[in-house]
Amino acid sequence: MLVIKFGGTSVASAKNISTVKDIIQGKDKDLVTVVSALGGITNQLEDCSMLASQGEEEYLKVLTHIEQKHINTTKELISVKSQGKTLSKIKILLNELEDICRGVFLVRELSPKTKDRILGFGELMSATLITDFLNDQGLKSNMADPKAFIKTDNHYGRANVDFDATSKAVRAYFKDSKNIWICPGFIASNHDNETTTLGRGGSDYTAAIIASGLESEKLEIWTDVSGMMTADPRWVKAAYAIEEISYEEAMELSHFGAKVIYPPTIQPALEANIPIHIKNTFKEDDEGTVISNKARGNGKLIKGLSCVQNIALFNLSGSGMVGIPNFSHRLFRALSAAEVNVILITQASSEHSICVGIDAEDSEASKGAIEHEFEYELATHKIDPLEIEKNLAIVALVGSNMKEQVGVSGRMFSVLGQNGVNIKAIAQGSSEKNISIVIRESEVKKALNSLHESFFLSERKVLNIFMIGVGNVGGTLIEQLNKQKSYLARHHHVEARIVAMANSKKMLFEEKGVDLKDWKNTLSTRGSTMDLGKFIQQMVHHNLRNSIFIDNTANEEVASTYEQVLAKSISVVTPNKIACTQSMKKYRSLKNTALLYRSQFLFETNVGAGLPVINTLNDLVKSGDEILKIEAVLSGSLNFIFNHFNASTKFVDIVKQAQVEGYTEPDPRIDLSGVDVMRKILILVRESGIDMELEDITSQQFIPDVCMNAPSIDTFFTTLAEKEEVFQQMLKEANDQNKKLKYVATFNKGKAETGLKRISPGHPFYDLQGKDNIVLFTTKRYPEQPLVIKGAGAGAEVTAMGIFADIMRISNE
């Protein structure tokens, strides 16, 4: 005989119950159908009983609502000629319920025994209604009485089942029975035939008990989701149904918060080796989840993630605990006496401390019980005052494939560390099917999503990008990200989502991602006034996994926020050179902060735009090579100027052309001063592992002081034209030697310098064209022929590409 169960949402309305009827009719076999109370009724019964016990006449309004719900549902489902009989049955039950509640109201007392009586009426009325509805529809049905065959002890509220007596009674009750049985869930009775209940969610348990007693071919549990999910979809949008899972894995997930199935349900099915099939009442064609001992692996280490919120962590510690027997026994005895359930336990091997996680609702009772039990030890300072931390949650990683698999815990901790999630406590059983951690409740969403992505339970990894600077480079980067969206999803399983953007006037936050098709208009019309402090504050407050802060500005104030951002485990990617060229102390502090908080500080585009200069240098140093000498042309603007300056042109005209074409800053003196090149060589020297300050670099100025000190840009161009003969003389001297002028940065024998140099034919710099950059690394491994990196070193396209590459490096971590 098949056993199936329908939960509260499945029988929440007349429409839903009609769907249930169709499913039952489609089975075309003898079956026992266990039903929950109509959706929301059990909560209302609980409210009703509490109001009555407090002497609040409001309980009568709740009773009226319950009555109306059942009357309306009956009238919607059952034909007029038949509904009178059903309404009479419902009314008899409601009258009995009202009498009990009236008694509670009068005596102002609600015992656990009476509460069980009250809460059980929901299932009794639901089963009565559904049985009569099926008969009215021509499906011959009988209503079973679970009190006749599910026998328990007197632990009201969550009674313990006497399986020997129950199994015999189940077989006797349904012996040789045919057709359809409708059985109220949740309800049982003790050996005096007094009503008990199996705990909230106990209808699942009822179905499993019956299935076990009947040795059913399988147990079907119909609910409002398509099976057990890899994570709670309310937290993890990428969660999906698990096709097959073992009994043990299902128990672990259900114990740690997976609400699809009531945890005790699994044990009777496991012992009787009955598969449990979880199906969606409203999506009958979905495969659902099969729980059995033959569950095939999904090829992944982890089957799913689960979470329990509202946890309090109690830590008992002290030197007086070391080597003293019975401390743990006394702790758990005290909690047991206070009827407190311990959810998680961890103890240091030093025996100096023991930590337990409990439901935060039990905090006061637990504190009193523990302090009473250890009153002497606390008074004599043999143990420290009890430490209690609240607003916590337990996250559990579950999967049978973790057993004897090296590195699972390390990977879990690494992923959480990279996302700034602090672990308060850790527990893992020797079965290796579960790793549980305690974290702050505020970190749950980020932790679950990060782990879901890391263990390949998600189809793609989401990068949450916060971008300041959406001008030339920033705008180009946005276009590149939008263009590559499908490619990244298909080939790299990455979704780069811009969740915030800002320019100097406006800032916009969209947690689900800004629509990049019309981002300029969206930022302009929906953005709020830009405030750097508020931008950083809101970015931190969003607390999103895989967060990346991108600074596309050359702003010193923005650069000053990097350390604060990195300390929140948010990675930083920037072409802004200011941060890396501040004092050596500040540079080291940024690097150390990134290491400490497992964030990344990437600035490849500080030197050479999209050229892989810094990454190549880092690889050389990491692999043990030593940098002996660096020679480089690092200014695209200066290279453009000197490549176009010749005897038939004027220097001032070439500088103006470079300004118009965007190769220089609006004030070209910034480029012509060589300060930008000084910053770039300083970064390369520091990344080589050598301490150096900006003022340690020698710069040979080639622009006359009168030009550099001009009061305005217009005056600068005027004085530059007046000094044309100076530049023509430079050019002539180079041409006379068959050499070319290049602005070069060098580092050699501990010294760095920048300046205009004459380059001989055959030198790698000689034929450098347009806005190209070139870097030569002479190292211990490349002593004779230096390692050469050459290509476009300026321009929005290549700079944006370099930032994009840094984003992908973070994604690949």
Side-chain angles (χ1 to χ4, degrees), residues 44 47-66 101 105:
Q44 290 178 41
D47 292 342
C48 182
S49 63
M50 290 304 297
L51 288 168
S53 70
Q54 293 163 3
E56 298 284 347
E57 291 191 351
E58 286 288 317
Y59 84 91
L60 292 169
K61 291 183 180 179
V62 180
L63 277 177
T64 300
H65 188 274
I66 292 170
C101 289
F105 174 78

Side-chain angles (χ1 to χ4, degrees), residues 633 635-647 649 651 654-655 658 671-673 700-703 726-728 730-731 734-735 739-744 755-759 765-766 768-771:
V633 174
S635 173
S637 56
L638 288 174
N639 201 39
F640 175 88
I641 289 168
F642 285 107
N643 278 334
H644 288 77
F645 178 46
N646 55 55
T649 61
F651 188 76
I654 300 301
V655 173
D671 299 271
L672 294 170
S673 69
Q700 300 170 4
Q701 186 174 300
F702 68 93
I703 302 292
V726 173
F727 304 110
Q728 290 294 340
M730 289 180 190
L731 181 64
N735 288 339
K739 295 180 178 180
K740 290 184 178 180
L741 291 173
K742 302 289 180 186
Y743 196 86
V744 178
L756 197 62
K757 292 194 175 182
R758 302 169 192 151
I759 305 300
F765 295 173
Y766 187 82
L768 196 64
Q769 300 299 314
K771 58 186 177 183

Side-chain angles (χ1 to χ4, degrees), residues 106-148:
L106 291 172
V107 300
R108 305 290 198 272
E109 183 181 329
L110 179 65
S111 68
K113 179 178 177 180
T114 302
K115 188 175 181 180
D116 272 6
R117 282 285 307 279
I118 293 172
L119 295 184
F121 276 96
E123 277 71 15
L124 289 172
M125 289 187 287
S126 169
T128 299
L129 194 161
I130 292 169
T131 303
D132 286 2
F133 170 58
L134 293 178
N135 281 312
D136 188 51
Q137 293 291 309
L139 295 174
K140 188 175 180 182
S141 306
N142 301 303
M143 181 169 160
D145 177 11
K147 290 174 64 177

Side-chain angles (χ1 to χ4, degrees), residues 252 255-256 306-308 310-316 331-332 335 340-347 354-360 370 392-397 412 423-429 434-439:
E252 294 281 6
H255 175 70
F256 281 101
S306 208
C307 174
V308 183
N310 198 34
I311 294 295
L313 208 59
F314 280 57
N315 187 48
L316 194 65
L331 173 63
F332 297 128
L335 292 172
V340 173
N341 179 44
V342 176
I343 302 172
L344 178 140
I345 307 162
T346 180
Q347 182 174 20
I354 184 167
C355 181
V356 295
I358 63 167
D359 189 319
I370 294 171
L392 302 175
I394 296 174
V395 170
L397 205 63
M412 181 186 194
I423 299 172
K424 304 283 185 179
I426 305 161
Q428 181 177 19
N434 176 319
I435 304 172
S436 300
I437 57 169
V438 180
I439 62 173

Side-chain angles (χ1 to χ4, degrees), residues 17 87 205 315 405 591 703 711:
I17 293 171
L87 290 171
Y205 197 19
N315 187 48
Q405 177 67 45
K591 290 277 195 170
I703 302 292

Side-chain angles (χ1 to χ4, degrees), residues 639-681:
N639 201 39
F640 175 88
I641 289 168
F642 285 107
N643 278 334
H644 288 77
F645 178 46
N646 55 55
S648 62
T649 61
K650 290 185 176 180
F651 188 76
V652 65
D653 293 335
I654 300 301
V655 173
K656 286 182 177 179
Q657 181 186 350
Q659 182 199 43
V660 169
E661 294 187 20
Y663 290 117
T664 72
E665 297 292 331
D667 185 346
R669 285 174 292 184
I670 295 173
D671 299 271
L672 294 170
S673 69
V675 171
D676 189 60
V677 176
M678 290 172 67
R679 290 184 185 278
K680 290 178 179 180
I681 191 65

Side-chain angles (χ1 to χ4, degrees), residues 23 75 170 251 348 418 443 478 736:
I23 293 171
K75 288 180 176 179
V170 167
M251 278 193 283
Q418 287 168 5
E443 306 277 10
I478 291 170
D736 289 345

